[in-house]
Amino acid sequence: MQQRYLLVAFIALLLIAPQLASEFHVTLLNYIGLYSIVAVGLVLLTGVGGLMSFGQAAFVGLGGYATAYLSTATELPGWAAFLGGSPWMGLLVGILLTAGVALLLGLLTLRLSGHYLPLGTIAWSISLYFLFGNLEFLGGHTGISGIPALTLFGLQMKDGRNFFYLIWAVVMVVVWLTLNLLDSREGRAIRALKGGVVMAEAMGVDTARSKVVIFLIAALFGCISGWLYAHLQRFVNPTPFSLYMSIEYLFMAVLGGAGHVWGALVGAGVITILKQWLQDWLPKLFGASGNFEMIVFGFLLVFVLQRARDGIWPILTRLIPQRASIRTVVAAEPLPTKALPDAGQVLLEANNVVKRFGGLVANNNMNLMVRAGEIMALIGPNGAGKSTMFNCVSGVDRATEGKVLFRGREVTSLDSREIAKLGMSRTFQHVRLLATMSVLENAAIGAHLRGSKAVLSSMLHLERAEEKRLLAEAARQVERVGLKDSMFEAAGSLALGQQRTLEIARALCADPCLLLLDEPAAGLRYLEKQALAELLRKLRGEGMGILLVEHDMDFVMGLADRVVVMEFGEKIAEGLPEEVQRNPAVIEAYLGGVE
Ligand code: ADP
Ligand code: MG
């Protein structure tokens, strides 16, 4: 509730600010608004999605130049004449142009990983900058002047004070859209990018698409900022769209609070005011003119990265009561579920699977089968190749040789996302959760494939009915695995054992018929293990097939219907738990070593 008051107070402040502030300060606030729009996009792209871009200013430039050119053009060819003379056409064309360029650049650069992505963005950022400066019809380095003022509701916006309201209205809309997006199924998919592509894909998220989406949104925000800039300034040249400015936008996003949407406004404000101030004072101090503020920014950024990685926003929110993102789950009509296959039906079959990593044979001629309504345990000493086998059957990795069939269909070369769609869901040996996200939301990532509402309806919050059902389902699964009391806590605050259990809840949210659990009992206390065994028995009773990799022999022996034992990548025994337990080769290889 308090949050709402703060928001109202902020809006009230925005409404009266132009009446109170001097011309100079209104201009400063206008610039903060323009920068905020770009920085919000960067928060989404870099802070939330983890994709570093040094090219945002170039998109601002596309928006600025598109409208600058079209709204001042007098000699457009006949077929394009309707595009000229209007800022609104400039906006439309700018948006289309930016979307096209961003899609192209996104498809080219977003495949790059690690350092190559920022390097890629630097490359095209510089290219676009020089393009602006060298194209004759864009006025070269002198730019384009005489851009008409905007007219809105009959009001000509020649005055910074009028423009103020337009800019800040756009800022608020952009913030609203972004917050909405993040608080949705698509938003969880975007946030899951930081938890690693492997996890997100295994939950059915099309990570390549999610990356392109945030890249596109960030670019479009840049474009809109550029459009506003051009009509505020009534003049454009290449300078404000350079790599240097892109770096400044990154500063704003990181300083404000990399992953926090409101932080973008704080970052834009702090950097803009600081820059103004430093530009006034530093030359006096040094007795020479120059971009000294960049030096201070450099130190500031290093300081922030060392002392307050998450930027200023989290420090501010510590002072005011936190908004609990989601605190209640409302009852909603349950999501439709798929009927489980009849018990005994073969779900998964691996035939002669071989997996080599260079010269290392991690899996050699592995065969296994899992039926509906049974628990199959895959055991073996550390390094035997169990996780590798898991990865091969779940599509995380691809078998070098051999065949994997799931529900009678060959899935050997399918992606994990495709396999997830068919009804296989898994957990990871090394827990892959989003530490700062709540238990509930982590589980809800698993339900990704059960929703269908896309980005636009998420941004406009038109998908609330579906979202309620997804969250209700996540809550049901969290409760089912016994984590109800921690539902709204951050996943990172749970004990490791509970985190593993949460991974099971997340997997169950996908409504699978086959569950792959990689060492689910590791780190669990005795009673927790008992509860887990109880849950797995119940799932088996309902007809679910479960493939379990486990270390804890007692746990497996009391639970599994059949056991496959691996050593050095090969199957050395298979059978009922009691049989396997008595097998001399197994005792030698595994039990002997452990007991
Ligand atoms: P387990 O899960 O039974 O403990 P793993 O399947 O994790 O065993 O590992 C089997 C073998 O394959 C180990 O020797 C491991 O070092 C190797 N291995 C696993 N993943 C990779 C990889 N991505 N690249 C190279 N070697 C790997
Ligand atoms: Mg393993």
Side-chain angles (χ1 to χ4, degrees):
M1 215 49 208
Q2 234 130 355
Q3 243 79 30
R4 194 151 291 176
Y5 292 135
L6 282 172
L7 182 63
V8 170
F10 181 61
I11 293 176
L13 210 61
L14 285 178
L15 287 175
I16 55 166
Q19 312 308 328
L20 302 180
S22 68
E23 188 91 19
F24 170 77
H25 285 111
V26 169
T27 306
L28 206 60
L29 287 171
N30 281 345
Y31 277 97
I32 294 175
L34 290 176
Y35 297 153
S36 295
I37 298 169
V38 187
V40 167
L42 267 180
V43 162
L44 183 65
L45 183 67
T46 307
V48 178
L51 303 173
M52 182 85 85
S53 165
F54 284 96
Q56 285 325 97
F59 293 125
V60 182
L62 283 178
Y65 266 105
T67 197
Y69 175 69
L70 288 177
S71 62
T72 57
T74 47
E75 292 169 25
L76 286 175
W79 61 269
F82 72 102
L83 294 172
S86 154
W88 303 103
M89 272 300 169
L91 177 63
L92 186 69
V93 172
I95 285 177
L96 295 176
L97 181 70
T98 307
V101 172
L103 268 181
L104 183 71
L105 292 177
L107 291 177
L108 288 175
T109 37
L110 292 175
R111 292 158 196 265
L112 302 174
S113 56
H115 308 309
Y116 298 104
L117 175 66
L119 282 178
T121 65
I122 289 177
W124 53 252
S125 162
I126 295 177
S127 317
L128 281 175
Y129 171 74
F130 280 105
L131 199 67
F132 296 141
N134 287 308
L135 287 179
E136 191 133 347
F137 70 98
L138 295 182
H141 283 280
T142 359
I144 301 176
S145 51
I147 301 170
L150 283 182
T151 307
L152 203 62
F153 308 119
L155 184 73
Q156 209 181 34
M157 294 210 236
K158 284 194 162 162
D159 179 2
R161 282 179 215 273
N162 293 335
F163 226 100
F164 175 93
Y165 290 112
L166 177 61
I167 291 177
W168 281 92
V170 174
V171 173
M172 296 311 275
V173 170
V174 158
V175 166
W176 181 72
L177 292 173
T178 311
L179 286 173
N180 282 353
L181 176 63
L182 288 176
D183 173 30
S184 73
R185 165 179 169 272
E186 287 283 357
R188 279 188 294 275
I190 291 164
R191 288 190 279 169
L193 291 175
K194 265 200 167 167
V197 169
V198 169
M199 180 277 282
E201 287 275 332
M203 296 301 132
V205 175
D206 186 342
T207 54
R209 181 179 156 276
S210 287
K211 285 180 184 177
V212 170
V213 163
I214 53 177
F215 191 72
L216 199 62
I217 293 174
L220 289 176
F221 286 175
C223 161
I224 290 169
S225 172
W227 175 76
L228 286 167
Y229 172 85
H231 290 286
L232 172 70
Q233 197 79 358
R234 318 271 304 273
F235 159 75
V236 291
N237 73 359
T239 317
F241 313 126
S242 65
L243 178 63
Y244 171 92
M245 198 54 214
S246 288
I247 294 174
E248 226 170 277
Y249 285 129
L250 259 187
F251 270 1
M252 292 174 194
V254 173
L255 183 77
H260 304 272
V261 176
W262 288 108
L265 275 59
V266 176
V270 170
I271 293 277
T272 311
I273 293 170
L274 200 64
K275 187 174 168 185
Q276 186 63 43
W277 190 71
L278 292 172
Q279 273 175 349
D280 286 348
W281 286 97
L282 288 181
K284 286 185 195 153
L285 206 64
F286 289 111
S289 60
N291 291 338
F292 297 117
E293 73 276 4
M294 249 356 227
I295 303 170
V296 178
F297 285 170
F299 281 115
L300 187 69
L301 195 70
V302 172
F303 179 78
V304 168
L305 289 178
Q306 288 203 346
R307 288 303 169 89
R309 273 215 174 171
D310 299 327
I312 301 175
W313 185 252
I315 300 173
L316 291 181
T317 49
R318 233 173 277 150
L319 304 176
I320 48 175
Q322 271 291 343
R323 176 171 75 162
S325 51
I326 303 170
R327 276 282 162 206
T328 47
V329 178
V330 279
E333 196 194 336
L335 293 166
T337 53
K338 284 192 231 103
L340 289 170
D342 295 334
Q345 197 179 325
V346 175
L347 292 179
L348 180 74
E349 236 185 310
N351 294 328
N352 302 319
V353 166
V354 177
K355 178 69 194 174
R356 292 192 198 95
F357 294 111
L360 181 107
V361 186
N363 284 160
N364 197 10
N365 274 327
M366 277 298 298
N367 292 288
L368 55 82
M369 186 207 280
V370 186
R371 293 196 169 88
E374 74 164 357
I375 299 178
M376 225 287 285
L378 185 61
I379 65 173
N382 248 329
K386 308 181 294 291
S387 294
T388 304
M389 190 66 203
F390 247 54
N391 289 342
C392 287
V393 298
S394 63
V396 166
D397 230 327
R398 207 158 281 185
T400 319
E401 284 169 35
K403 252 190 194 172
V404 181
L405 302 172
F406 181 49
R407 305 182 77 177
R409 197 175 144 179
E410 175 154 6
V411 297
T412 323
S413 51
L414 289 190
D415 293 338
S416 59
R417 177 159 40 95
E418 300 297 326
I419 297 181
K421 279 184 200 159
L422 299 175
M424 190 191 302
S425 196
R426 63 169 292 174
T427 65
F428 294 89
Q429 179 177 356
H430 303 288
V431 174
R432 295 184 194 211
L433 294 168
L434 290 140
T436 56
M437 247 162 91
S438 72
V439 166
L440 179 74
E441 287 182 285
N442 266 288
I445 293 175
H448 185 79
L449 287 172
R450 299 175 75 184
S452 60
K453 294 282 187 280
V455 178
L456 216 53
S457 44
S458 300
M459 290 182 96
L460 297 170
H461 260 190
L462 298 175
E463 36 57 280
R464 291 292 93 182
E466 180 185 278
E467 174 71 1
K468 264 187 216 154
R469 295 175 78 186
L470 292 173
L471 288 180
E473 171 70 8
R476 196 168 72 86
Q477 302 299 352
V478 167
E479 227 177 300
R480 195 176 188 188
V481 302
L483 289 175
K484 188 179 176 196
D485 293 339
S486 327
M487 186 98 71
F488 305 110
E489 281 167 32
S493 70
L494 300 183
L496 183 63
Q498 292 178 313
Q499 296 191 5
R500 287 191 188 290
T501 319
L502 172 54
E503 286 223 331
I504 298 177
R506 184 177 65 194
L508 287 174
C509 277
D511 187 30
C513 63
L514 177 67
L515 206 52
L516 263 53
L517 306 177
D518 201 346
E519 306 213 10
L524 260 61
R525 287 189 285 260
Y526 181 71
L527 285 178
E528 290 171 334
K529 276 185 196 172
Q530 297 233 305
L532 174 62
E534 206 43 57
L535 171 70
L536 298 185
R537 281 194 192 99
K538 191 163 156 276
L539 292 172
R540 168 175 64 186
E542 290 167 12
M544 180 107 55
I546 299 172
L547 175 58
L548 184 74
V549 160
E550 205 29 85
H551 236 82
D552 185 327
M553 292 306 295
D554 291 336
F555 183 75
V556 170
M557 292 304 160
L559 183 65
D561 300 298
R562 286 184 308 120
V563 180
V564 165
V565 189
M566 285 183 81
E567 192 191 18
F568 301 125
E570 306 206 14
K571 179 152 83 179
I572 56 167
E574 178 169 13
L576 300 172
E578 312 81 66
E579 290 169 8
V580 167
Q581 221 167 4
R582 287 196 301 268
N583 185 320
V586 176
I587 296 171
E588 169 73 27
Y590 185 40
L591 300 175
V594 174
E595 303 288 301

